[in-house]
């Protein structure tokens, strides 16, 4: 886990005292927090896009936390969300978890639980960020391939031999061999196994 | 010729009758005169003076000192001209004449005169009427008195002949019938009878007798109920009927009328579905009608059980209540006996019956003689009422539960927010202190730890109370929204009527069923409907509440509740659904908040908009799952 930059948490709660106390609590463990009294305020703040995670109250003026989580999933992105609620019930918690929340905490919560969840969220955010950059790297390498090379690649990760690919694409096995070498070079891998791993990570493995 | 071998008188008389000619001799006349037991005078035809007077005549005139013989016939009369008149007119029979007597006494006599022209004499046969007239006179007086009595009696009376013609009537009778001059003309009784068949009653030979009351015409066309008493009178070989008339129109007529009315009612009620019963408390008898018996499954043979028989079939739980009602009526504390009681049917089941009864006859000492009542089968009605009351109670309970739930939610929210902050703040303080190391007093750390523990405990208590109140979890079942709307409209109808408002339904056909809690959704819609009705309280024009159902493009069932009340300003529309917001003085402001909670429990939405031209529309959208 990379601790290079300080983590930033968004706290959305309409209660000033709750917002402030959570912010102060996170500060004691070196986590920066930014408070918003409702979802609109969060949406208006562009700086919030850089946040690692979000602590979201369910009962809010205007659109409530659960609805916001559901309808603005794109804006929230892969930011882990911890719900806090003064009147949480099981259906509400189930809904939150189904929507991909990290946890659903009932107020008042033990401070350590919140800190633990926030640390988990930060770690998860870091992992996601790391993965995101790896995927982006693979993607940029893939972008260098020609359409024919990409076609050949899709057959390669399926484990087909050059002869089979040559038959399928109706070109000579020699030409296939040349493509293979260029693909390995462009994708910066030494084996087909490495190539499959990279493609799986990027979610780019597909049937030709 | 006289026969000397025969006794004198009869033979003579026989001859007298047989041989008229011989009578015409003076000798015989004289003999006759002497022998006749009746008084006879012999007058000289020319001078009209008395020639002879037989002993009987002498006895009548009664005195020897009066020189009867030689006296002029005229002077035998009180008024001498009477005697002259008789002779002058050659009268043969004089019904009544008064003779002058010696002592100055008048003697009533009847005279028969025979003129014997050949002999020039007149025979005057005298019949003394003294005793007869005395009798007649008495009768006359009595008759006059009776007449007077008859005429002036306060009781109307009339005299009928054998043909039932009114031959006499007194003043009271004339007044009764309304005849002018207090006299009844000769007319047939039949003409007076409203029902001519009543005449037959007068023919019954029983004396004296009182006939059943009958209606008689008055001259003005009105009718009186008459109870005639008839007795037969025989006078001078004629038969009359004396009829004493009693006008019972105002007394017994009323009772009779009441009876008749009662019978009519009994008939009407029995036909209509109400049973009738009658109770004679003095004897304990009871009579119940066919409908009464039908209700309890009894046959016609059970119509005359004593009161106790029916009394014993009253449900034990209702018994005391019923008898209290009866007692209160007996003590004149209540005008009627009325109540709903259960009675056992013939097969041992209990049915709810509504009883209404009243004493209609009391005796002279005020004790109740007769009670008449109706009975109506209210079993189904009662059960329906019970069902509706139960339904209402359930709704009320749901409403109370919802209100309490919402209140607790509010309180929980208001409490948990500061609790959360307190917990966080104390944690912040503790963490900062812990960094100071050993220099921090142990009590400070302990105090902060205690704060966290207690907050946590308080939080648990709040959650426990909340979960307790929330016990009434959703009871999900398939619901047809239109059926629910119709039910709600029926319940709101009572309030609508009170506000003279109308509820219009506009329901979409073929809506899918939704899954939800019937009680909660019904309560929510009823709340919205009542809100709408109350909002129209101040509207002058027609008050119309519209309930609409539809299916929108997002596969949600929508219900709109639209009133034409004063409407809400845009600012109010935002706040109206929040808890504790109210425009009603006695309102708690929870109604719409509960509605919102209910809708949210069903993953639905509730919002407000303005209606055109005036009023408010509450929209509910519920997803079909």
């Amino acid at each position: 886990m990379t601790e290079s930059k300080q983590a930033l948490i968004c706290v959305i709660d309409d209660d000033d005292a709750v917002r402030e106390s959570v912010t102060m609590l996170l500060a004691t463990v070196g986590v920066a927090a930014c408070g918003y009294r409702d979802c609109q305020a969060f949406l208006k703040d562009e700086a919030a896009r850089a946040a690692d995670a979000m602590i979201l109250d369910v009962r809010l003026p205007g659109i409530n936390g659960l609805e916001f989580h559901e309808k603005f999933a794109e804006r929230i992105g892969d930011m882990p969300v911890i719900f806090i609620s003064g009147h949480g019930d099981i259906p509400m918690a189930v809904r939150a978890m189904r929507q991909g929340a990290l946890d659903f905490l009932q107020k008042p919560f033990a401070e350590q639980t919140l800190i633990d969840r926030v640390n988990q969220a930060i770690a998860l955010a870091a992992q996601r960020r790391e993965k995101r950059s790896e995927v982006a790297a693979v993607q940029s390498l893939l972008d260098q391939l020609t359409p024919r090379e990409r076609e050949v690649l899709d057959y390669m990760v399926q484990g087909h031999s050059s002869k089979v690919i040559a038959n399928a694409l109706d070109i000579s096995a020699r030409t296939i061999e040349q493509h293979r070498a260029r693909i390995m070079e462009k994708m910066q891998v030494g084996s087909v196994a490495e190539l499959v791993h990279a493609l799986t990570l990027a979610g780019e493995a597909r049937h030709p | 010729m006289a026969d000397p071998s025969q006794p004198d008188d009869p033979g003579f008389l026989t001859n007298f009758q047989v041989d008229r000619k011989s009578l015409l001799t003076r000798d015989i006349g004289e003999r006759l005169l002497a022998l006749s037991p009746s008084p006879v005078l012999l007058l000289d035809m020319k001078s009209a003076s008395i020639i002879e007077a037989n002993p009987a005549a002498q006895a009548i005139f009664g005195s020897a000192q009066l020189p009867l013989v030689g006296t002029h016939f005229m002077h035998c009369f009180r008024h001498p001209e009477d005697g002259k008149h008789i002779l002058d007119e050659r009268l043969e029979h004089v019904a009544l004449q008064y003779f002058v007597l010696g002592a100055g006494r008048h003697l009533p006599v009847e005279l028969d005169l025979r003129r014997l022209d050949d002999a020039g004499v007149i025979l005057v046969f005298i019949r003394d009427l003294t005793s007869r007239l005395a009798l007649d006179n008495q009768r006359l007086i009595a008759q006059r008195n009776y007449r007077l009595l008859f005429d002036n009696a306060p009781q109307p009376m009339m005299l009928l002949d054998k043909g039932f013609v009114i031959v006499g009537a007194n003043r009271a009778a004339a007044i009764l019938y309304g005849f002018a001059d207090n006299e009844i003309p000769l007319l047939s009784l039949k003409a007076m009878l409203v029902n001519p068949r009543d005449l037959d009653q007068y023919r019954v030979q029983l004396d004296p007798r009182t006939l059943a009351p009958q209606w008689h015409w008055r001259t003005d066309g009105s009718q009186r109920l008459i109870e005639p008493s008839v007795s037969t009178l025989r006078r001078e070989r004629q038969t009359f009927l004396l009829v004493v008339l009693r006008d019972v129109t105002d007394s017994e007529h009323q009772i009779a009328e009441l009876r008749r009315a009662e019978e009519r009612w009994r008939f009407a009620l029995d036909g209509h579905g109400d049973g009738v019963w009658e109770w004679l408390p003095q004897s304990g008898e009871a009579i119940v009608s066919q409908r009464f018996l039908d209700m309890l499954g009894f046959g016609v043979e059970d119509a005359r059980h004593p009161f106790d028989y029916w009394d014993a079939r009253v449900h034990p739980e209702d018994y005391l209540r019923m008898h209290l009602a009866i007692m209160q009526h007996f003590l004149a504390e209540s005008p009627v006996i009325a109540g709903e009681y259960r009675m056992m049917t013939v097969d041992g089941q209990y049915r709810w019956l509504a009883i209404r009864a009243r004493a209609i006859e009391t005796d002279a000492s005020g004790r109740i003689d007769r009670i008449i009542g109706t009975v109506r089968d209210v079993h189904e009605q009662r059960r329906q009422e019970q069902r509706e009351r139960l339904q209402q109670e359930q709704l009320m309970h749901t409403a109370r539960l919802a209100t309490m739930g919402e209140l607790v939610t509010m309180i929980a929210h208001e409490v948990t927010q500061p609790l959360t902050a307190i917990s966080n703040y104390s944690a912040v303080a503790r963490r900062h202190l812990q960094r100071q190391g050993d220099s921090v007093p142990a009590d400070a750390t302990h105090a902060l730890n205690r704060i966290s523990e207690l907050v946590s405990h308080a939080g648990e208590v709040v959650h426990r109370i909340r979960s307790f109140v929330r016990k009434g979890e959703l009871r999900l079942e398939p619901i047809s929204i239109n059926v629910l709307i119709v039910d709600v409209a029926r319940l709101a109808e009572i309030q609508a009527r009170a506000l003279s408002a109308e509820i219009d339904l506009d329901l979409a056909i073929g809506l899918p069923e939704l899954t939800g809690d019937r009680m909660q959704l019904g309560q929510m819609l009823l709340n919205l409907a009542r809100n709408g009705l109350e909002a129209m309280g101040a509207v002058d024009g027609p008050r119309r509440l519209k309930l609409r159902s539809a299916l929108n493009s997002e596969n949600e069932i929508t219900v709109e509740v639209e009133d034409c009340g004063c409407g809400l300003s845009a600012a109010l529309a935002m706040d109206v659904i929040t808890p504790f917001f109210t425009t009603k003085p006695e309102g708690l402001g929870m109604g719409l908040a509960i509605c919102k909670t209910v809708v949210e429990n069903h993953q639905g939405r509730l919002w407000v908009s303005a209606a055109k031209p005036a009023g408010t529309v509450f929209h509910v959208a519920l997803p079909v799952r």
Side-chain angles (χ1 to χ4, degrees):
Chain A
M1 149 184 344
T2 51
E3 283 287 326
S4 54
K5 82 177 200 30
Q6 198 196 16
L8 178 69
I9 305 291
C10 291
V11 180
I12 307 178
D13 196 310
D14 60 329
D15 190 296
D16 297 344
V18 171
R19 223 163 46 237
E20 189 196 51
S21 63
V22 167
T23 309
M24 284 169 73
L25 182 65
L26 294 181
T28 64
V29 290
V31 174
C34 189
Y36 304 94
R37 61 177 312 115
D38 56 34
C39 301
Q40 288 299 322
F42 168 82
L43 291 172
K44 279 181 198 154
D45 186 9
E46 280 301 318
R49 286 181 186 275
D52 294 88
M54 182 191 287
I55 295 173
L56 183 57
D57 190 16
V58 172
R59 194 171 186 128
L60 288 170
I63 185 165
N64 77 43
L66 283 167
E67 281 177 36
F68 173 71
H69 186 231
E70 187 179 49
K71 295 199 171 151
F72 292 85
E74 207 174 309
R75 172 71 168 76
I76 294 166
D78 57 3
M79 208 185 279
V81 175
I82 300 158
F83 276 103
I84 54 173
S85 170
H87 58 290
D89 54 18
I90 290 163
M92 212 183 269
V94 167
R95 183 178 165 193
M97 301 310 281
R98 199 176 283 154
Q99 286 175 191
L102 182 66
D103 205 352
F104 189 96
L105 300 181
Q106 201 153 39
K107 289 180 187 172
F109 37 78
E111 107 247 11
Q112 197 55 53
T113 312
L114 182 70
I115 289 166
D116 290 348
R117 288 294 172 278
V118 167
N119 282 331
Q120 271 180 27
I122 292 165
L124 190 63
Q127 263 179 38
R128 285 177 182 173
R129 218 169 10 242
E130 202 175 321
K131 185 187 164 193
R132 216 165 35 230
S133 62
E134 282 173 25
V135 169
V138 172
Q139 196 64 56
S140 68
L141 293 177
L142 278 173
D143 289 347
Q144 293 167 22
L145 301 180
T146 63
R148 177 58 93 186
E149 285 166 356
R150 178 67 216 233
E151 242 178 327
V152 174
L153 171 72
D154 288 339
Y155 279 101
M156 281 168 69
V157 297
Q158 296 292 319
H160 296 301
S161 65
S162 298
K163 204 176 165 189
V164 172
I165 300 170
N167 273 340
L169 296 178
D170 199 17
I171 45 177
S172 72
R174 264 177 60 106
T175 313
I176 294 296
E177 288 299 335
Q178 284 168 6
H179 280 310
R180 286 182 79 122
R182 296 229 1 116
I183 289 166
M184 301 294 270
E185 188 187 324
K186 279 184 178 172
M187 294 301 290
Q188 300 169 7
V189 291
S191 67
V192 173
E194 276 179 70
L195 186 64
V196 169
H197 176 74
L199 279 175
T200 308
L201 181 73
E204 281 289 334
R206 59 188 186 195
H207 285 285
Chain B
M1 292 290 126
D3 187 346
S5 65
Q6 295 294 315
D8 288 340
D9 285 0
F12 166 73
L13 284 173
T14 308
N15 292 336
F16 179 75
Q17 287 169 346
V18 171
D19 188 359
R20 262 183 84 91
K21 249 203 151 101
S22 65
L23 275 173
L24 303 176
T25 69
R26 187 171 181 138
D27 287 347
I28 289 166
E30 283 172 2
R31 277 186 65 189
L32 180 71
L33 204 70
L35 288 173
S36 172
S38 338
V40 183
L41 298 175
L42 189 65
L43 307 181
D44 178 71
M45 202 178 275
K46 273 190 184 145
S47 67
S49 55
I50 296 167
I51 305 164
E52 275 292 345
N54 72 350
Q58 292 281 0
I60 285 175
F61 287 93
S63 79
Q65 53 261 62
L66 183 84
L68 196 56
V69 173
T71 304
H72 197 281
F73 183 61
M74 267 167 54
H75 294 118
C76 289
F77 293 89
R78 184 166 61 161
H79 305 294
E81 59 269 27
D82 288 349
K84 190 172 178 291
H85 174 73
I86 291 166
L87 295 175
D88 289 353
E89 299 294 319
R90 298 180 64 92
L91 295 178
E92 290 199 335
H93 178 81
V94 179
L96 182 63
Q97 270 308 334
Y98 284 89
F99 277 51
V100 176
L101 296 182
R105 224 158 50 86
H106 296 141
L107 196 68
V109 290
E110 198 177 70
L111 304 176
D112 282 288
L113 290 90
R114 293 287 175 274
R115 288 179 172 74
L116 306 177
D117 292 320
D118 295 347
V121 294
I122 304 171
L123 275 169
V124 181
F125 297 87
I126 304 168
R127 199 153 63 237
D128 184 354
L129 296 178
T130 311
S131 56
R132 208 187 89 187
L133 277 184
L135 215 68
D136 281 356
N137 206 26
Q138 273 177 11
R139 194 154 63 187
L140 213 66
I141 292 165
Q143 248 182 18
R144 220 176 23 236
N145 285 345
Y146 278 123
R147 181 80 208 180
L148 213 62
L149 193 69
F150 181 76
D151 274 345
N152 292 296
Q155 191 73 269
M157 291 186 264
M158 55 189 187
L159 207 58
L160 309 180
D161 70 8
K162 269 164 74 180
F164 303 108
V165 172
I166 300 166
V167 292
N170 68 358
R171 212 171 298 145
I175 293 168
L176 172 65
Y177 291 110
F179 281 104
D181 306 326
N182 297 345
E183 274 195 40
I184 295 184
L186 278 172
L187 54 83
S188 168
L189 173 68
K190 202 170 171 180
M192 322 272 295
L193 298 176
V194 172
N195 181 1
R197 274 185 309 178
D198 284 338
L199 197 65
D200 292 341
Q201 290 194 53
Y202 293 83
R203 297 187 212 275
V204 178
Q205 296 293 311
L206 189 77
D207 223 25
R209 60 195 186 271
T210 300
L211 309 183
Q214 46 189 241
W215 289 99
H216 287 202
W217 290 110
R218 289 188 86 241
T219 53
D220 64 4
S222 63
Q223 301 177 4
R224 305 297 290 175
L225 188 68
I226 304 291
E227 184 190 71
S229 298
V230 182
S231 52
T232 312
L233 295 182
R234 282 187 181 79
R235 201 174 76 181
E236 292 162 21
R237 271 182 256 130
Q238 267 197 293
T239 307
F240 295 93
L241 286 177
L242 176 67
V243 184
V244 179
L245 306 157
R246 205 153 80 83
D247 183 356
V248 294
T249 314
D250 297 324
S251 52
E252 273 165 50
H253 160 52
Q254 278 174 346
I255 294 169
E257 215 14 60
L258 196 66
R259 288 223 173 91
R260 234 169 284 158
E262 216 180 272
E263 274 161 28
R264 277 200 299 272
W265 272 111
R266 184 177 304 190
F267 178 78
L269 289 171
D270 236 31
H272 184 258
D274 283 1
V276 180
W277 56 282
E278 201 174 321
W279 173 27
L280 310 173
Q282 308 290 350
S283 63
E285 287 174 82
I287 304 160
V288 299
S289 76
Q290 187 58 48
R291 271 297 300 152
F292 184 110
L293 296 166
D294 289 347
M295 283 176 204
L296 297 175
F298 283 90
V300 68
E301 66 280 3
D302 292 301
R304 281 187 169 268
H305 287 302
F307 180 78
D308 289 347
Y309 180 83
W310 302 112
D311 193 43
R313 303 192 79 84
V314 174
H315 194 286
E317 284 175 22
D318 298 337
Y319 190 82
L320 195 64
R321 202 158 52 84
M322 188 184 91
H323 277 263
L324 265 170
I326 292 174
M327 257 156 61
Q328 280 179 335
H329 188 61
F330 272 58
L331 296 170
E333 286 172 11
S334 66
V336 286
I337 300 167
E340 293 185 3
Y341 312 107
R342 278 160 290 180
M343 271 187 89
M344 196 193 280
T345 62
V346 75
D347 50 7
Q349 306 284 311
Y350 281 102
R351 278 192 90 76
W352 280 102
L353 302 179
I355 305 275
R356 266 187 89 80
R358 191 161 78 85
I360 64 153
E361 279 174 30
T362 47
D363 67 11
S365 61
R367 284 191 306 177
I368 291 173
D369 271 340
R370 205 149 81 107
I371 284 179
I372 284 200
T374 61
V375 58
R376 176 174 297 180
D377 189 327
V378 293
H379 196 69
E380 287 311 316
Q381 195 184 326
R382 189 92 186 189
R383 290 218 339 225
Q384 179 63 26
E385 277 171 12
Q386 267 175 346
R387 271 197 295 272
E388 280 177 11
R389 206 178 308 134
L390 205 69
Q391 205 179 343
Q392 282 282 0
E393 274 169 16
Q394 276 176 338
L395 268 175
M396 295 276 284
H397 180 68
T398 312
R400 274 198 303 273
L401 218 63
T403 307
M404 194 157 84
E406 198 66 20
L407 272 171
V408 169
T409 303
M410 292 305 307
I411 293 165
H413 182 72
E414 295 303 316
V415 171
T416 49
Q417 291 292 76
L419 282 180
T420 309
I422 291 166
S423 169
N424 291 343
Y425 283 131
S426 70
V428 170
R430 181 161 35 76
R431 279 166 186 270
H432 280 296
L433 286 179
Q434 273 166 355
R435 288 193 194 148
Q436 305 300 311
D438 297 339
S439 62
V440 177
D443 275 1
T445 321
H446 176 71
L448 291 169
N449 281 334
R450 287 296 292 152
I451 290 174
S452 292
E453 284 167 31
L454 291 176
V455 163
S456 154
H457 177 68
E460 272 168 34
V461 169
V462 171
H463 290 306
R464 210 175 309 137
I465 293 170
R466 270 192 35 115
S467 60
F468 173 72
V469 171
R470 218 175 20 217
K471 274 242 173 70
E473 295 283 329
L474 294 186
R475 279 189 308 194
L476 299 178
E477 55 183 313
I479 294 170
S480 156
I481 197 74
N482 286 350
V483 171
L484 196 64
I485 290 173
V486 169
D487 281 352
V488 165
R490 201 164 53 83
L491 286 168
E493 190 64 43
I494 302 155
Q495 199 180 355
R497 228 176 289 138
L499 287 162
S500 55
E502 277 180 46
I503 298 180
D504 286 350
L505 300 183
D506 177 9
L507 307 176
I509 304 168
L511 291 179
E513 283 190 336
L514 56 86
T515 306
D517 187 309
R518 183 184 302 278
M519 252 7 227
Q520 284 200 7
L521 288 177
Q523 181 68 46
M524 182 268 295
L525 290 175
L526 186 60
N527 266 355
L528 293 180
R530 285 185 172 159
N531 254 327
L533 288 170
E534 281 166 19
M536 294 190 290
V539 172
D540 274 340
R543 298 166 179 179
R544 216 169 268 276
L545 184 80
K546 293 175 191 160
L547 299 179
R548 276 187 291 267
S549 67
L551 187 71
N552 69 12
S553 55
E554 291 169 51
N555 203 32
E556 286 173 321
I557 287 178
T558 60
V559 181
E560 290 173 5
V561 181
E562 179 180 331
D563 64 61
C564 57
C566 42
L568 295 159
S569 71
L572 275 182
M574 292 292 289
D575 291 335
V576 75
I577 297 174
T578 54
F580 304 119
F581 176 90
T582 184
T583 54
K584 290 172 247 168
E586 72 280 14
L588 196 55
M590 298 306 290
L592 288 172
I594 291 166
C595 290
K596 190 168 163 67
T597 303
V598 168
V599 171
E600 282 172 357
N601 285 347
H602 290 82
Q603 280 74 50
R605 292 173 293 135
L606 172 69
W607 71 99
V608 193
S609 72
K612 285 172 190 170
T616 311
V617 192
F618 280 88
H619 304 260
V620 177
L622 299 165
V624 178
R625 281 190 294 183

